[in-house]
Amino acid sequence: MIVRPRTLVAALAAAVVALAAALPLPAAAQNQNSNQTRSIALPDFTDLYDKQSPTVVSVDVTQKARAPRMPEISEDDPFYEFFRRFGQVPRPRGAPEREAQSVGSGFIISSDGYVITNAHVVDGADEVSIKLADRREFKAKVVGTDKRTDVALLKIDANNLPKVVIGDPEKLRVGEWVFAIGKPFGLENTITSGIVSAKGRDLPQENLVPFIQTDAAINPGNSGGPLFNLKGEVVGINSLIYSRSGGFMGLAFAIPIDVAMSAVNQLKDKGRVTRGRIGVQIQEVTKETAEAFGLKQTAGALVNSVEKGGPAEKAGVEPGDIILKVDGRDVANSSTLPRIITQVKPGTKVTLTVWRKGSQRDVGVTVAELKEAEPAAQAKRGGAPKEKAKPNRMGLVLADLTDEQKKELDVKGGVLVEEIAGVVRGNVQAGDVILAMVSRGQTIEAKSAAQINDLLAKLEKGAPVTLQLRRGENTFYSTLRLPNGE
């Protein structure tokens, strides 16, 4: 057989390719292919669901809806139709009370019948029923609730129950797969999955819970149910959703399980939750504030004021201190500090690392018990001086405080912000009292309007300036930046 050169070359090339395919790949290539396979593989939740779904329960709540007290109205009365249309027809005397029912989810944390759910699920409940995955039903006793963390502990009379494994939310990573099991819209044992969208979320009106954000589908009825990681460990309690329609929109929030268990353990031991406090008012440290205080990093919690006779004052904490650490634990921002302190048992001594006048120092504080805060009364100020000064470089019209004003405000010194004549980019209002000024890492007490105006005049253009202000009963810091022009 005659073989042409081109045909021979093609045949040899084909043989080489076949031989290469038959040989094993180098280790590096195998690892590369393996990594590519892992990167595109999706998790399989089937075994996880089979193992964890028996630990999840349905929480059914019954509330007696009591009709408002109203006089009896006959059907002939002209107001009867009005009340009927708006659902407010008076209930006849002796008529039975109506019952309202709601549903939620929960999970078993001990084989002897302790169950966790949300506090808002059982709030105002007259009767709570627990349904297990095997269809058994039990009447539940509410051991205790903690509205600040939205956690409730329930107890049913049962033994040898399957229980969850508690995980560590600190090890949870953004982008990690998670899944939820619960009862959305009354549909029991529903599993949904997603990823951790963010950690440490601050939500309005609640700064004690660093929420886990997830895009796993959470809907009404999921409240109180567990959020699992891929190890089958509970890392959070599904609590809130952001929605404009009432349904899932990809923004759900879970209470970290370590925060929840801290409350649960106290509810189990003594039926209530105690929290620590040190008696300071704080605010965020911005980039400009850090620069004014001579702090290299933008971190910590700036102390606005210190409660008289409180733990912090007794320990020597001062307004203007920036709290950087608690017992060596970093205070990343102002939200971090209350979360750390409230978890400390009252009576415990902690070490605060503070930034003061350009250097770090440690202060030992004995933590007290947090009580319900009472609204602070607004202090009255005396009348402003009749003659108004000219605006200073910052656009503020300042005036010295009268003796009467100092007495009413209970301050030894300070300067009144009489008027704002320019564009001031900061939280400063007419009527505020400047107690001190911080610049270039130095804190200077405000003694007179002329003093503050003179200090501002000597600073370079664009320099940041932090003012310690008194407004009503509140003391806080506001950072401004001098204008770049004259």
Side-chain angles (χ1 to χ4, degrees), residues 23-92:
L23 293 173
L25 289 173
Q30 289 181 4
N31 290 337
Q32 183 177 0
N33 289 342
S34 177
N35 290 335
Q36 290 176 351
T37 302
R38 282 199 299 268
S39 66
I40 63 173
L42 295 176
D44 184 355
F45 295 101
T46 54
D47 290 337
L48 290 167
Y49 177 80
D50 290 342
K51 186 175 181 179
Q52 302 305 329
S53 61
T55 67
V56 183
V57 303
S58 299
V59 182
D60 297 306
V61 176
T62 301
Q63 295 172 315
K64 294 180 180 179
R66 297 170 177 83
R69 293 186 177 182
M70 299 172 62
E72 292 187 11
I73 299 178
S74 69
E75 296 185 14
D76 297 329
D77 193 293
F79 283 99
Y80 181 88
E81 182 63 19
F82 170 82
F83 286 117
R84 186 191 68 79
R85 288 189 179 186
F86 288 90
Q88 296 291 334
V89 177
R91 181 170 51 88

Side-chain angles (χ1 to χ4, degrees), residues 37-239:
T37 302
R38 282 199 299 268
S39 66
I40 63 173
L42 295 176
D44 184 355
F45 295 101
T46 54
D47 290 337
L48 290 167
Y49 177 80
D50 290 342
K51 186 175 181 179
Q52 302 305 329
S53 61
T55 67
V56 183
V57 303
S58 299
V59 182
D60 297 306
V61 176
T62 301
Q63 295 172 315
K64 294 180 180 179
R66 297 170 177 83
R69 293 186 177 182
M70 299 172 62
E72 292 187 11
I73 299 178
S74 69
E75 296 185 14
D76 297 329
D77 193 293
F79 283 99
Y80 181 88
E81 182 63 19
F82 170 82
F83 286 117
R84 186 191 68 79
R85 288 189 179 186
F86 288 90
Q88 296 291 334
V89 177
R91 181 170 51 88
R93 296 182 186 276
E97 294 176 324
R98 294 178 291 110
E99 290 187 345
Q101 294 184 336
S102 58
V103 298
S105 304
F107 53 97
I108 305 167
I109 60 169
S110 66
S111 58
D112 58 349
Y114 281 99
V115 174
I116 295 181
T117 187
N118 282 148
H120 76 259
V121 171
V122 297
D123 186 30
D126 290 299
E127 186 178 282
V128 180
S129 297
I130 298 294
K131 182 185 290 186
L132 306 183
D134 60 10
R135 299 301 178 184
R136 286 185 293 167
E137 294 188 30
F138 299 87
K139 298 297 182 185
K141 174 187 176 183
V142 179
V143 177
T145 62
D146 180 43
K147 292 185 179 181
R148 291 299 301 271
T149 54
D150 196 21
V151 173
L153 178 63
L154 312 179
K155 179 68 170 68
I156 60 176
D157 187 12
N159 291 293
N160 300 319
L161 298 176
K163 63 178 183 178
V164 297
V165 176
I166 303 298
D168 184 0
E170 290 293 327
K171 297 180 180 179
L172 203 61
R173 301 177 62 189
V174 174
E176 181 177 339
W177 281 96
V178 287
F179 66 99
I181 301 177
K183 191 179 181 179
F185 299 110
L187 301 173
E188 299 175 4
N189 300 106
T190 297
I191 180 173
T192 55
S193 65
I195 62 170
V196 176
S197 303
K199 292 178 62 179
R201 284 294 194 206
D202 295 325
L203 297 183
Q205 300 178 346
E206 185 49 71
N207 64 346
L208 299 186
V209 179
F211 285 95
I212 301 168
Q213 182 183 331
T214 177
D215 66 351
I218 306 296
N219 283 291
N222 275 115
S223 290
L227 185 71
F228 293 98
N229 61 18
L230 288 186
K231 295 180 182 178
E233 301 168 336
V234 174
V235 292
I237 304 176
N238 300 313
S239 178

